[in-house]
Amino acid sequence: MVPFDSPHADGVSALARAEGWPTFSDPDRVRRLFAAPGVVGLVAVHHVDVVGAAHLLTDGHHGYLTFLAVSAGRRRDGIGRRLVEEAFEATGAERIDLLSTPEAEPFYRRLPHREMPGFRVFPEWMRPHLGPGL
């Protein structure tokens, strides 16, 4: 586990593309987002390959996990758990909030947690792109 550095951007974006997550799929955007104020970025590197990454927003007391991904071939190796543990250490946060996909819920349920409902709110101009039900 190491702090994010610019050369890791290609590996982080490859993880995002493998999950179908557009926000972090462009290496240039990854560099900007991981360098933004109030961000802690961590990567798990095996040899030279990025096998996991975490992106957190923090005020030094609370954290919000915006991105956690581990390459499919390295899941269940403890990388995701270590990224979360390192995030707590790096931020000093007393809690980390997040949204999850249904597929990732079993992972988060293995961590000390409290489940709460959540929403992802978008600007009005996104309404036509969000599909039925809006």
Side-chain angles (χ1 to χ4, degrees):
M1 302 295 155
V2 296
F4 174 84
D5 195 14
S6 185
H8 299 129
D10 289 332
V12 172
S13 64
L15 290 172
R17 284 191 307 276
E19 296 300 321
W21 298 342
T23 301
F24 289 88
S25 64
D26 174 62
D28 290 332
R29 181 182 280 175
V30 167
R31 285 183 189 90
R32 285 192 313 274
L33 294 175
F34 273 71
V39 168
V40 170
L42 302 167
V43 293
V45 180
H46 183 257
H47 300 292
V48 296
D49 297 324
V50 173
V51 296
H55 177 273
L56 296 98
L57 307 175
T58 183
D59 61 8
H61 186 69
H62 302 107
Y64 184 79
L65 183 63
T66 67
F67 178 88
L68 179 69
V70 175
S71 62
R74 296 301 306 268
R75 292 186 185 147
R76 305 209 49 91
D77 286 350
I79 294 169
R81 178 179 286 275
R82 284 201 48 220
L83 284 164
V84 171
E85 290 168 354
E86 293 280 336
F88 274 110
E89 188 173 318
T91 63
E94 70 175 37
R95 73 170 188 255
I96 294 174
D97 297 322
L98 59 103
L99 293 174
S100 177
T101 61
E103 300 80 22
E105 287 177 357
F107 165 76
Y108 292 112
R109 286 190 175 117
R110 289 191 296 269
L111 302 173
H113 72 282
R114 179 180 301 146
E115 289 188 40
M116 305 168 95
F119 292 88
R120 179 165 286 164
V121 179
F122 294 91
E124 188 63 35
W125 64 265
M126 285 289 295
R127 185 179 294 271
H129 306 286
L130 297 175
L134 292 178

